[in-house]
Amino acid sequence: MREATTAIYSRLHSTHHEATVSRNLAYGPNSRHACNIFVPAGRAAAPRPMVVFVHGGGFTKGDKELADTPFYDNFGYWAARHDFIGVTSSYRLAPEFKWPAGGDDVEALLKWLCVQADTYGADNRQIFLVGHSAGATHVATCLSRLDDDLRKHVAGAILNSGIYDVASAAGSSIGGVLAGYFGPDVSAYPEMSSVPALSGLGIPLMVTVNEREPHEFQRQGLEAVREIFQAGSPLPHFVTLWGHNHYSSLLHVGLAQGDMLGEHMQCFVSSVRHGRS
């Protein structure tokens, strides 16, 4: 399904974009510690928010760029078109690197971006993290382990179809992808789950799921929102992206028509910036 969906959407994206792109910037010592930064054309009246995308891939594959496709440059160009600084990033992969390596890499990227923000005209107190699938899991892990100093730089986070309660996912239809990253000892999975810490995070969240994806991703999103709400935290913005499978909502980002995920992301970032989240 992924290959077919990618082929369809690849034909729809424009090859013309107005943004300055800096590629393969190292934010750490590993070759996978790399990111691309997309800066809008023209001067800004004030430092811009930074919107950071962390890709998926079942914990074992994926990259900030998919060869011979517009992805995930489509996310960076979408951000620049909305007057944000866009960032797309890679991270270390399983099975060589296991939990919490992905979350640690998101944290390392955050620290690097805080230092580099001025170079790209960004506001390092307005960093928004966006993760898809395994990337959403890594973003959630990072958020669940943030110290107070770094937390003040994260303005909000958008979690698209991730795994937040690892223990409950182990026996589901997607449980087979977990062992390579979380290890074979299922009894250790509860302590690797991010939901308990997300409940007291105090950072605005948007959680999205797709209509036509495996049921477990939908359940994970719903249960995360329910647990966060029941803990007395502000209710996350929850969105079901109708008509989309596990991949298509993300590949649709940046198209002129029907970009549901892009529209919700833009609304979320703007509302947080103006104190309405």
Side-chain angles (χ1 to χ4, degrees), residues 52-247:
V52 182
F53 175 69
V54 185
H55 67 82
F59 304 103
T60 63
K61 58 188 176 183
D63 210 332
K64 65 186 185 303
E65 301 167 4
L66 302 181
D68 302 319
T69 78
F71 314 115
Y72 295 104
D73 281 3
N74 66 310
F75 184 94
Y77 287 124
W78 166 85
R81 194 154 51 249
H82 287 85
D83 206 36
F84 309 140
I85 304 296
V87 181
T88 59
S89 66
S90 302
Y91 52 83
R92 293 171 295 170
L93 299 173
E96 182 179 2
F97 297 98
K98 298 195 178 337
W99 184 91
D104 287 348
D105 288 354
V106 177
E107 180 179 339
L109 175 63
L110 262 177
K111 291 177 178 178
W112 185 84
L113 290 173
C114 287
V115 174
Q116 299 295 324
D118 283 349
T119 303
Y120 300 96
D123 182 349
N124 73 2
R125 296 297 186 99
Q126 289 285 308
I127 300 177
F128 291 82
L129 298 174
V130 182
H132 170 248
S133 195
T137 304
H138 294 327
V139 168
T141 298
C142 172
L143 293 175
S144 72
R145 295 155 57 89
L146 279 181
D147 61 34
D148 290 340
D149 184 62
L150 195 55
R151 184 180 289 114
K152 65 189 178 185
H153 295 279
V154 182
I158 299 168
L159 306 174
N160 178 234
S161 297
I163 299 298
Y164 319 111
D165 183 346
V166 185
S168 69
S172 74
S173 62
I174 63 172
V177 306
L178 302 178
Y181 178 63
F182 293 99
D185 183 5
V186 178
S187 68
Y189 284 7
E191 68 184 50
M192 301 178 183
S193 299
S194 57
V195 167
L198 292 179
S199 299
L201 188 63
I203 292 174
L205 296 176
M206 182 169 89
V207 178
T208 74
V209 297
N210 300 287
E211 179 194 7
R212 299 176 179 175
E213 67 181 348
H215 174 80
E216 181 61 18
F217 290 113
Q218 300 167 349
R219 191 189 69 79
Q220 287 279 326
L222 283 167
E223 288 299 312
V225 169
R226 181 187 64 82
E227 189 163 335
I228 291 168
F229 177 69
Q230 289 186 340
S233 298
L235 181 67
H237 181 47
F238 182 76
V239 180
T240 299
L241 300 166
W242 300 104
H244 282 290
N245 63 36
H246 188 62
Y247 312 103

Side-chain angles (χ1 to χ4, degrees), residues 1-16:
M1 178 181 290
R2 177 177 181 173
E3 290 75 14
T5 304
T6 300
I8 291 169
Y9 276 95
S10 291
R11 297 192 292 267
L12 302 177
H13 282 272
S14 171
T15 57
H16 176 71

